[in-house]
């Protein structure tokens, strides 16, 4: 009622933006002003309502591939609210939202941010959201199975990275330190913009944002700035040969004066993945297991390069509704749903014991993600804010693991459900022409339900079995403030603080694990901060530096490691478990040389303290207790280890004559970490050096690209100790030890625009049909792959 009472309806002034050369309207142009704090993007007709900008002395207008324009509101009025943008070879300015949850120029950000635009996604044709991150050239993707994709950023991964969807935290209380595949729940076709923030982001995002933040903005409903409705959308059909992919997508957006709707649906179907012909023989598993006539049979495959089982399918659906009763009030509701079929964890199917497959089955059950999200934005020159945003979200996650040993009849099924509730209240308040505050509150609640059962595949009898996790509730409450001071047009300073309280209440079932406890509770706090700045000597270059801390609060997966017990030892909950802390330093620079070459460099160092590892412990003053009839050493997860990661990232973009262009991204990272026994090991999630280099040719109707993707070698001694034991996923060197070979693939893609409505995309990936695996992956990448995609944009 308060929000409605402060809103008003009035005349909406409309700006129209077009391409200066072609006269075509330009959608997704970003307009931003600092005072008043206002932001807008153009609809498919190149129009946006800008009444909220009235009185602004500087409105920055940007679109990737076009020259930035900065004008005042009065100048726009003199131009009859009509702007033409000139195409540019290179651009150093973009509008990003991942750093402060609000739109701001990338040159005002003291950290490196990579943006993946819709046009790039449409051209590159990634099969999953994990592959979408990979096309940036700055994120390394590990896969344990085809239905997977675990990003690695600057030597960190899994629960030390933060996923955000439409501003809502996707990380749950069961995100583990092992590789995860939650990102494939997102639909790459439904993305309006994807950003990767490199480095700590805990001040804004809280726990887990140590190595970076992956921020996904899905398709947003756009209002009509005129009296007529605006309709836009796309339809895509795609086929790929390496996994016989059959994918279809359709989305449509309709906008009126005050209401707008966006609907999106996608269907993905992937058969077993064929690997390449030339490469390590250790990657070939020419058999798979089938249960036939009451027994497990080893089936010799006719096609040895097929990786069975890797097939799976997936559906994604999204519905959004937007209502804007007045210029100062905006409601957006979003519904997201994703569900996969069951799929095999291929790396576990490679395990051999006594000359036979260890597992007859090792599958993930359907992975389900559902989110309801309400976003309310209120604008007005108030005492404590100019813009306020409330996000209320409910998410539902379901995942399960099904395994059965070879020639055994007992099947184990463990199912986890997480119901996640979150509320974010964020404010922006300028205090003068040069100073701006971002501040807010966040509350997160995760209810974890974990069940287990065993099933006899012969008798079909089921009985209760051990669950993976305790039944638990995880809570987080945080408050943050971030201040941005523009000392001059060239120098900007930024600093922030966050205090976070986190709490876990867990209940343990002693039916299968006779521990002398049934409950565990943790209630701790964490303080983090950041300080940084940018210096812009000229319009064509920028220098940035940042010092920051970040944290990862212990979650239910950390508490749940009570089930990692082994004969002679028992792991008990540690109520004193505290957060891990990261201390990070970043420095970077971007420079455009002669409107022809753009160079982007960044370097970083991160020290992780209080890392959670398993060490000897005591329970009620005892270092050993009777467990399952055996006197067992007491251990617990403790904050007892350190890790160090350093590296650099380099990017170059060159605009050549006659429509040609060249770009390259290179990433180098190294790390050391303490293991459970106190020894030092190379960091598990610091990938070998990797990158992508591309040569492109572009005209108004045609785009061609030939590119090389590559990874350096990790020898046996360079592998983490935990990786050295995974002999089933690596190649073997001359000494008989596992190692990760270097690889390079050559790839070709093209797009031809038949008309304003139709386009055809085609390509050949891995031209030389190399058989290779990305570092730490348990499944080989596709062999030579032909793909064809037909797209309709309207």
């Amino acid at each position: 009622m308060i929000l409605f009472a402060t809103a008003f309806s009035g005349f909406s002034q409309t700006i129209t933006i077009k391409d200066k050369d072609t006269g075509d309207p330009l959608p997704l142009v970003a307009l931003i002003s600092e005072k008043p704090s206002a932001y807008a993007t153009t609809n498919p007709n190149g129009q946006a309502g800008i009444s909220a900008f009235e009185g602004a002395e500087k409105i920055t207008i940007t679109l990737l591939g076009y020259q930035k324009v900065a004008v005042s509101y009065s100048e726009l009025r003199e131009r009859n609210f009509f702007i033409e943008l000139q195409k540019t070879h290179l651009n150093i300015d973009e509008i990003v939202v991942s750093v402060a949850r609000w739109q701001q120029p990338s040159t005002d950000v003291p950290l490196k941010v990579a943006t993946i635009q819709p046009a790039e996604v449409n051209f590159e044709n990634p099969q999953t959201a994990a592959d979408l991150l990979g096309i940036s050239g700055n994120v390394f993707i590990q896969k344990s199975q085809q239905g997977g994709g675990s990003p690695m950023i600057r030597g960190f991964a899994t629960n030390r990275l933060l996923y955000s969807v439409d501003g809502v935290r996707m990380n749950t209380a069961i995100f583990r330190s092992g590789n995860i595949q939650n990102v494939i729940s997102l639909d790459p076709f439904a993305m309006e913009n994807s950003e990767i923030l490199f480095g700590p982001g805990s001040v804004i995002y809280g726990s887990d944002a140590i190595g970076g933040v992956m921020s996904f903005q899905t398709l947003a409903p756009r209002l009509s700035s005129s009296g007529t409705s605006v309709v836009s959308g796309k339809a895509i059909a795609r086929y790929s040969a390496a996994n016989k992919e059959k994918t279809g997508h359709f989305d449509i957006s309709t906008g009126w004066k005050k209401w707008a709707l966006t609907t999106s649906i996608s269907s993905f179907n992937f058969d077993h993945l064929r690997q390449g012909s030339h490469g390590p023989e250790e990657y070939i598993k020419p058999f798979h297991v089938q249960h036939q006539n009451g027994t497990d049979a080893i089936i010799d495959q006719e096609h040895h390069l097929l990786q069975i089982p890797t097939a799976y399918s997936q559906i994604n659906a999204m519905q959004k509704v937007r209502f804007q009763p007045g210029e100062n009030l905006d409601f957006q509701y979003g519904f997201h749903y994703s569900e996969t079929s069951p799929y095999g964890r291929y790396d576990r199917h490679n395990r051999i014991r006594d000359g036979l497959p260890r597992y007859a089955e090792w599958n993930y059950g359907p992975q389900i993600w559902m989110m309801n999200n309400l976003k309310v934005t209120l604008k007005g020159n108030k005492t404590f804010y100019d813009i306020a945003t409330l996000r209320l979200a409910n998410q539902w996650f379901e995942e399960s693991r099904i395994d059965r040993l070879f020639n055994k009849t007992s099947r184990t099924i463990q199912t986890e459900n997480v119901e996640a509730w979150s509320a974010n209240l964020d404010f922006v308040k300028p205090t003068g022409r040069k100073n701006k505050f971002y501040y807010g509150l966040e509350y997160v609640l995760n209810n974890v339900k974990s069940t287990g059962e065993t099933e006899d595949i012969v008798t079909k009898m089921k009985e209760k079995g051990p669950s993976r996790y305790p039944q638990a509730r995880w809570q987080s409450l945080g408050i943050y403030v971030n201040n941005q001071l523009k000392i001059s047009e060239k120098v900007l300073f930024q600093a922030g603080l966050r205090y976070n309280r986190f709490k876990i209440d867990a209940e343990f079932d002693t039916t299968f694990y006779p521990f002398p406890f049934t409950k565990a509770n943790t209630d701790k706090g964490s303080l983090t901060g950041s300080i940084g700045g940018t210096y812009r000597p000229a319009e064509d270059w920028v220098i940035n530096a940042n010092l920051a801390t970040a944290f990862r609060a212990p979650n239910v997966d950390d508490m749940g490691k009570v089930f990692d017990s082994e004969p002679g030892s028992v792991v008990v909950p540690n109520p004193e478990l505290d957060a891990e802390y990261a201390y990070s330093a970043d420095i970077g620079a971007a420079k455009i040389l002669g409107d022809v070459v753009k160079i982007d460099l960044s370097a970083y160092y991160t020290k992780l303290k209080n890392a959670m590892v398993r060490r000897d412990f005591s329970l009620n003053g005892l270092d050993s207790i009777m467990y399952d009839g055996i006197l067992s050493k007491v251990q617990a997860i403790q904050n007892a280890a350190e890790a160090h990661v350093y590296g650099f990232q380099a990017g170059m973009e060159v605009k050549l004559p006659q429509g040609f262009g060249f770009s390259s991204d290179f990433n180098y990272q190294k790390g050391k970490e303490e293991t459970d026994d106190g020894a030092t090991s190379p960091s598990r999630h610091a990938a070998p050096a990797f990158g992508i280099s591309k040569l492109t040719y572009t005209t108004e109707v045609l785009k061609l690209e030939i590119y090389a993707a590559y990874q350096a070698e990790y020898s046996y001694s360079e592998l983490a100790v935990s990786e050295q034991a995974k002999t089933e996923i690596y190649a073997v060197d001359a000494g008989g030890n596992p190692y990760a070979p270097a690889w390079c693939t050559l790839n070709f893609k093209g797009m031809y625009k038949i008309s304003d409505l139709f386009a055809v995309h085609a390509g050949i990936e891995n031209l030389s049909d190399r058989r290779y695996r990305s570092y730490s992956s348990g499944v080989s990448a596709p062999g030579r792959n032909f793909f064809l995609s037909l797209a309709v944009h309207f």
Side-chain angles (χ1 to χ4, degrees):
M1 291 173 63
I2 294 173
L3 291 173
F4 272 111
T6 56
F8 67 91
S9 296
F11 176 72
S12 176
Q13 182 59 59
T14 301
I15 188 174
T16 301
I17 303 178
K18 294 186 176 182
D19 184 296
K20 186 174 183 179
D21 297 327
T22 66
D24 294 334
L26 295 175
L28 298 177
V29 179
L31 300 93
I32 187 171
S33 73
E34 295 183 357
K35 191 162 184 68
S37 292
Y39 176 80
T41 56
T42 55
N43 63 24
N45 292 335
Q47 296 179 324
I50 59 166
S51 296
F53 292 80
E54 188 169 3
E57 295 184 3
K58 182 180 179 181
I59 302 173
T60 303
I61 304 173
T62 61
L63 178 64
L64 190 65
Y66 289 82
Q67 291 180 1
K68 180 183 71 173
V69 173
V71 295
S72 67
Y73 189 86
S74 60
E75 287 176 310
L76 285 179
R77 184 184 291 112
E78 293 173 1
R79 299 187 188 187
N80 294 318
F81 299 99
F82 178 78
I83 291 288
E84 291 180 310
L85 296 184
Q86 179 68 55
K87 289 181 179 177
T88 183
H89 288 162
L90 299 166
N91 201 326
I92 207 170
D93 297 286
E94 293 181 87
I95 299 298
V96 297
V97 299
S98 59
V99 180
R101 289 188 188 272
W102 301 97
Q103 296 82 6
Q104 59 184 142
S106 58
T107 49
D108 289 352
V109 175
L111 288 168
K112 178 180 174 63
V113 180
T115 302
I116 305 173
Q117 299 286 350
E120 186 176 7
V121 177
N122 291 336
F123 178 76
E124 296 292 344
N125 273 276
Q127 291 190 343
T128 68
D131 298 332
L132 180 151
L133 291 169
I135 67 176
S136 69
N138 297 122
V139 179
F140 191 88
I141 303 298
Q142 179 276 348
K143 293 187 178 183
S144 297
Q145 63 280 328
Q146 184 175 203
S150 189
M152 297 183 184
I153 298 176
R154 291 188 167 186
F156 294 99
T158 62
N159 56 16
R160 289 173 182 153
L161 300 176
L162 195 285
Y163 300 78
S164 173
V165 183
D166 291 340
V168 176
R169 175 190 181 91
M170 193 182 189
N171 292 43
T172 73
I174 63 171
F175 267 37
R176 58 191 180 273
S177 59
N179 297 309
I180 59 176
Q181 59 269 359
N182 299 72
V183 72
I184 70 167
S185 292
L186 305 179
D187 183 355
F189 292 115
M191 294 301 156
E192 186 165 288
N193 194 48
S194 301
E195 296 175 10
I196 303 117
L197 169 66
F198 297 90
S202 281
V203 168
I204 303 299
Y205 292 94
S207 178
D208 304 358
I210 291 179
V213 175
M214 292 158 284
S215 175
F216 300 92
Q217 301 294 321
T218 59
L219 296 172
R222 305 212 174 274
L223 301 169
S224 172
S225 300
S226 61
T228 59
S229 62
V230 177
V231 179
S232 63
K234 63 180 180 288
I236 297 172
R238 185 176 63 208
Y239 175 82
S240 298
N243 54 4
K244 298 181 181 178
E245 176 206 12
K246 296 175 282 293
T247 288
H249 168 81
F250 177 77
D251 68 69
I252 184 169
S253 295
T254 305
W256 297 273
K257 193 72 172 179
K258 295 184 178 182
W259 289 89
L261 303 172
T262 295
T263 303
S264 172
I265 187 167
S266 298
S267 174
F268 306 87
N269 188 287
F270 307 105
D271 205 341
H272 301 299
L273 181 62
R274 187 190 70 84
Q275 57 187 326
S277 302
H278 313 292
E281 293 295 318
E282 294 84 10
Y283 294 166
I284 296 179
K285 179 175 73 71
F287 64 88
H288 62 275
V289 177
Q290 284 186 3
H291 193 69
Q292 298 177 343
N293 302 319
T295 187
D296 291 325
I298 299 176
I299 307 298
D300 289 326
Q301 296 175 190
E302 180 181 356
H303 302 288
H304 286 188
L305 299 180
L306 280 183
Q307 300 174 95
I308 302 176
T310 53
Y312 81 104
S313 61
Q314 180 172 328
I315 58 169
N316 283 78
M318 181 184 77
Q319 179 63 55
K320 287 191 174 183
V321 181
R322 182 179 181 183
F323 174 54
Q324 189 179 81
E327 285 288 336
N328 285 355
L329 186 61
D330 187 276
F331 293 88
Q332 292 192 46
Y333 165 75
F335 170 78
H336 302 259
Y337 184 82
S338 172
E339 182 174 353
T340 71
S341 66
Y343 52 93
R345 180 167 172 177
Y346 189 72
D347 60 341
R348 294 295 173 89
H349 285 271
N350 283 334
R351 291 188 175 180
I352 302 296
R353 184 166 64 181
D354 297 330
L356 295 172
R358 179 171 182 177
Y359 294 102
E361 302 175 34
W362 211 117
N363 304 314
Y364 285 110
Q367 178 173 293
I368 300 174
W369 172 65
M370 182 176 68
M371 180 170 76
N372 290 277
N373 176 25
L374 175 65
K375 176 184 176 183
V376 183
T377 302
L378 179 63
K379 302 176 183 178
N381 188 14
K382 306 299 181 182
T383 303
F384 296 105
Y385 69 87
D386 277 12
I387 306 178
T389 296
L390 173 67
R391 292 181 179 89
L392 301 174
N394 169 256
Q395 298 180 82
W396 174 262
F397 301 83
E398 180 175 313
E399 58 186 57
S400 56
R401 295 162 177 82
I402 304 102
D403 68 83
R404 182 173 62 84
L405 295 174
F406 186 73
N407 275 335
K408 301 295 182 181
T409 62
S410 179
R411 174 188 291 144
T412 299
I413 304 169
Q414 293 179 320
T415 303
E416 285 73 56
N417 298 118
V418 180
E419 187 174 22
W421 299 85
S422 62
N424 293 84
L425 187 57
D426 301 295
F427 301 91
V428 176
K429 181 60 185 179
T431 55
R433 296 171 55 87
K434 296 183 177 181
N435 200 56
K436 183 182 292 188
F437 281 94
Y438 303 88
Y439 65 99
L441 299 163
E442 179 186 60
Y443 174 71
V444 180
L445 168 65
N446 281 194
N447 288 317
V448 178
K449 181 181 179 182
S450 183
T451 61
E453 66 177 6
T454 58
E455 176 187 14
D456 190 296
I457 64 171
V458 177
T459 66
K460 305 302 181 183
M461 294 292 292
K462 294 183 179 181
E463 59 182 22
K464 184 179 178 181
S467 61
R468 181 176 174 87
Y469 297 117
Q471 313 311 307
R473 170 176 289 193
W474 184 89
Q475 298 180 78
S476 170
L477 177 63
I479 180 171
Y480 76 91
V481 60
N482 199 44
N483 180 236
Q484 188 180 88
L485 175 63
K486 200 163 190 177
I487 299 173
S488 68
E489 288 299 315
K490 293 184 178 181
V491 180
L492 183 141
F493 173 83
Q494 184 170 289
L497 282 173
R498 180 188 183 103
Y499 181 73
N500 215 102
R501 201 76 192 172
F502 51 88
K503 184 179 181 181
I504 303 176
D505 298 293
E507 294 185 1
F508 295 86
D509 185 351
T510 58
T511 303
F512 301 97
Y513 301 98
F515 302 128
F517 51 81
T518 57
K519 294 183 178 181
N521 307 95
T522 297
D523 190 348
K524 296 281 187 175
S526 178
L527 179 67
T528 52
S530 66
I531 183 171
T534 63
Y535 172 56
R536 192 162 189 175
E539 280 295 308
D540 59 0
W541 74 304
V542 63
I543 301 169
N544 60 68
N546 195 68
L547 297 172
T549 61
F551 76 100
R552 184 179 80 83
N555 63 20
V556 176
D557 183 77
D558 301 309
M559 296 285 286
K561 288 180 179 174
V562 68
F563 303 138
D564 284 347
S565 302
E566 57 190 14
S569 66
V570 56
V571 181
V572 302
N574 178 8
E576 298 303 316
L577 200 60
D578 211 334
E580 299 178 336
Y581 279 90
Y583 302 86
S584 182
D586 292 77
I587 188 169
K591 170 70 173 173
I592 295 177
L593 305 173
D595 200 30
V596 175
V597 178
K598 177 184 175 182
I599 297 175
D600 189 346
L601 301 171
S602 61
Y604 59 90
Y605 170 79
T606 302
K607 180 178 182 179
L608 184 69
K609 297 193 69 175
N610 289 339
M612 300 179 208
V613 291
R614 186 168 62 180
R615 294 287 166 82
D616 290 346
F617 195 62
S618 63
L619 182 67
N620 299 326
L622 300 175
D623 61 4
S624 298
I625 61 174
M626 293 299 296
Y627 170 70
D628 203 18
I630 300 174
L631 184 64
S632 301
K633 181 185 294 184
V634 175
Q635 295 184 321
I637 303 300
Q638 301 177 57
N639 301 107
E642 287 188 0
H644 304 262
V645 179
Y646 63 91
F648 68 89
Q649 295 170 289
M652 181 174 65
E653 189 174 353
V654 182
K655 293 301 180 184
L656 302 170
Q658 305 299 320
F660 286 94
F662 173 79
S663 66
S664 185
D665 287 284
F666 177 77
N667 304 266
Y668 176 86
Q669 49 280 313
K670 284 291 184 181
K672 293 288 185 181
E673 62 186 10
E674 286 186 59
T675 58
D676 286 343
D677 61 3
T680 300
S681 165
S683 179
R684 174 187 176 188
H685 291 134
F690 69 96
I692 296 179
S693 297
K694 302 177 181 180
L695 178 65
T696 60
Y697 172 73
T698 306
T699 69
E700 289 294 330
V701 297
L702 178 68
K703 181 175 182 179
L704 302 175
E705 177 182 271
I706 186 167
Y707 69 95
Y710 53 89
Q711 171 205 289
E713 176 184 309
Y714 259 3
S715 66
Y716 176 73
S717 61
E718 292 174 306
L719 290 177
V721 173
S722 59
E723 293 296 299
Q724 292 175 352
K726 299 176 183 177
T727 56
E728 71 274 9
I729 69 173
Y730 286 106
V732 177
D733 64 18
N737 296 313
Y739 81 111
W743 54 262
C744 179
T745 64
L746 193 62
N747 314 268
F748 173 79
K749 293 179 179 179
M751 182 275 292
Y752 178 68
K753 190 176 179 182
I754 300 172
S755 67
D756 291 339
L757 197 63
F758 296 98
V760 59
H761 301 251
I764 308 175
E765 298 169 323
N766 192 359
L767 278 162
S768 59
D769 202 25
R770 297 301 305 170
R771 181 165 58 249
Y772 71 98
R773 288 182 180 175
S774 297
Y775 162 73
S776 192
S777 292
V779 65
S780 299
R784 185 183 296 117
N785 180 44
F786 300 87
F787 76 87
L788 176 67
S789 173
L790 301 177
V792 179
H793 293 263
F794 57 92

